[in-house]
Amino acid sequence: MHDPRPRAHDALPASLPMGTADVAYHLAMGGRPLPAGFLFGFSGRAPTLDSVRARVAERAARIPALRYRIARQSRTFSRVDGIDVERHVHEAWLPGDDDGAGAGRLMLSRPMGGDGRPPWDVWLVHGPTGGHSLCYRTDHTFQDGVGAAHTARALLDDHPAGGPPAYRPRTPAPAGLAGALGAMAASFRASDKPAFDVPVSGLTTLCQAVVPVARLRAVGRAHGATVNDIFLAALAHAIGTWHRKSTGAAHPPLPVAVPMSVRPRGEECAPGNRLVVARVLLPCDAPSPLHALTRVVARTDTLRTGRQRDALRLLMTAGPRGIGARVGTRMVNGRSVAGPVSSVDFGSALVHQGNTARRAVVYSGLGAGIRCLTTLTLQHDTACLAVIHDEALTSADALPDLWLAALLELERP
């Protein structure tokens, strides 16, 4: 199995240019940090802060993504030659965090360092009755979810290997190029998303649900769909039900941004975002989860057969970086989409000092007028749905249970 950790003799350049996606995040956030990363939940005895710091001190200097800071004025990443571990690794106590969501809320709300250090930190968060979390956090301008997954594993895992699969570039099909151009054009038009058109409060919270991966795969096999298809279809029906309960009206198809990794083999722990974003209409108006799944599968099949991921990568990088970044800010913006909907397969469970994580959650803060972000994180045999939303969506904490209810309907013969 490929080990993404760099070797001690690997030379790192003094600076690296931001990529198109990095500049897009920088522009969308006005230079402010956007917290993103991975949270791992454990049971049993927690490690000591000193032991976590020792692990980080041993590994960090060999991981490229931990060796650079953001030089925003020049839109570059600048190498930092010394890492002060005590300023990067912290500890917190949340004795009332029964479901582990409190650790996620802490990571979303805690200010990130802006003093010229590399933009990452690690938190040991103590929960009730011996439960604890390890959280790797970075700035989304600097790293995407797949990069964060590889970096967290390289930094914290007892035997760091594996992780999300590498992207293998292909030539886009004509249909994929046409679809990518259509998605870019659609992002410049106003969209209809009544459930999410509320004033932004600026306060973010998180709710979640946990299911066995085997359930998702079994439903997928029964319907000829992928786990991601099941995730999207159940989410579409959950949002439709949620909106109907509060308004009595059906919700129109909902535009969302679906991030897709273009991180190739050999760049697992490289700084910078390696992703493109597809625009997908969730069929929230479908009368049942099965109808929603049929429409989702038709859409994702079109994305795959047209190789739209490759088309978007080509289009976003073909011209000047600044133009591609401006287009990117339009495609992921609260005016054009309800928010990102993302899934990451972390792979085998993270093991830290002999203790195996029970679940993993990829998370990100909200910006650019986005009211809601939904993620599905697979780790070994457990999947965690997380709904990160602006507190102005006062009843959005019902969405995880509605998603589980839609999944149950899909399981019925």
Side-chain angles (χ1 to χ4, degrees):
M1 188 175 289
H2 178 62
D3 185 344
R5 290 176 299 172
R7 306 297 180 236
H9 58 73
D10 288 350
L12 297 178
S15 66
L16 296 167
M18 282 188 183
T20 300
D22 310 324
V23 176
Y25 276 108
H26 169 70
L27 294 174
M29 293 303 298
R32 301 182 305 278
L34 180 66
F38 260 83
L39 183 150
F40 303 93
F42 296 83
S43 56
R45 186 174 180 179
T48 65
L49 178 62
D50 285 345
S51 69
V52 177
R53 283 177 169 165
R55 169 68 58 87
V56 171
E58 173 194 358
R59 304 266 185 92
R62 294 185 296 167
I63 301 174
L66 306 182
R67 293 286 307 281
Y68 286 86
R69 65 179 182 86
I70 302 174
R72 296 187 184 273
Q73 296 297 325
S74 59
R75 296 186 180 179
T76 61
F77 302 135
S78 297
R79 191 185 67 215
V80 174
D81 293 325
I83 297 175
D84 184 349
V85 170
E86 291 191 1
R87 300 177 69 192
H88 285 275
V89 184
H90 311 285
E91 191 171 28
W93 284 262
L94 293 174
D97 186 19
D98 294 323
D99 64 354
R105 288 190 285 269
L106 178 68
M107 294 301 98
L108 291 167
S109 63
R110 193 84 181 202
M112 297 191 70
D115 54 2
R117 287 179 291 143
W120 62 270
D121 50 30
V122 171
W123 286 80
L124 169 61
V125 182
H126 299 270
T129 62
H132 61 282
S133 299
L134 281 175
C135 309
Y136 167 72
R137 190 172 68 151
T138 185
D139 184 342
H140 216 326
T141 299
F142 188 75
Q143 197 170 41
D144 56 68
V146 169
H150 284 294
T151 299
R153 191 182 286 279
L155 184 63
L156 299 172
D157 204 320
D158 288 356
H159 304 287
Y167 164 70
R168 296 180 179 178
R170 298 184 297 171
T171 302
L177 286 167
L181 289 169
M184 290 180 178
S187 69
F188 286 83
R189 300 191 296 267
S191 59
D192 192 11
K193 42 185 173 42
F196 298 90
D197 285 339
V198 297
V200 176
S201 75
L203 301 174
T204 305
T205 189
L206 177 150
C207 51
Q208 61 188 33
V210 176
V211 297
V213 171
R215 281 186 66 188
L216 299 173
R217 288 178 176 156
V219 175
R221 285 194 300 271
H223 295 287
T226 67
V227 166
N228 192 57
D229 292 335
I230 302 301
F231 163 47
L232 295 176
L235 180 62
H237 195 261
I239 292 171
T241 303
W242 172 58
H243 183 68
R244 192 177 298 107
K245 284 184 174 181
S246 62
T247 66
H251 197 287
L254 182 70
V256 296
V258 177
M260 298 184 292
S261 176
V262 292
R263 186 172 290 271
R265 186 179 178 89
E267 296 186 14
E268 288 87 351
C269 295
N273 286 269
R274 308 286 197 277
L275 59 82
V276 294
V277 175
R279 180 185 174 92
V280 171
L281 290 176
L282 292 184
C284 300
D285 57 340
S288 71
L290 184 56
H291 283 85
L293 180 58
T294 300
R295 289 164 61 180
V296 164
V297 168
R299 174 58 177 151
T300 57
D301 279 350
T302 299
L303 291 176
R304 282 189 289 270
T305 57
R307 299 191 286 277
Q308 193 163 318
R309 180 193 314 234
D310 303 275
L312 286 163
R313 179 184 62 86
L314 178 64
L315 292 174
M316 293 297 290
T317 57
R321 180 182 62 171
I323 294 176
R326 294 283 181 186
V327 172
T329 63
R330 297 301 300 251
M331 295 186 72
V332 189
N333 187 286
R335 293 186 299 272
S336 60
V337 294
V341 176
S342 176
S343 63
V344 176
D345 187 348
F346 186 75
S348 59
L350 183 96
V351 180
H352 183 81
Q353 299 186 39
N355 197 356
T356 301
R358 296 178 292 107
R359 59 181 173 81
V361 184
V362 64
Y363 64 89
S364 171
L366 305 177
I370 295 294
R371 276 76 162 178
C372 187
L373 158 70
T374 309
T375 67
L376 183 73
T377 312
L378 281 65
Q379 182 198 243
H380 184 45
D381 59 359
T382 302
C384 186
L385 173 87
V387 179
I388 300 144
H389 64 91
D390 191 287
E391 290 186 3
L393 298 174
T394 54
S395 61
D397 57 356
L399 286 171
D401 285 341
L402 293 172
W403 184 82
L404 290 173
L407 178 62
L408 185 61
E409 284 194 49
L410 289 170
E411 288 177 308
R412 291 173 179 155

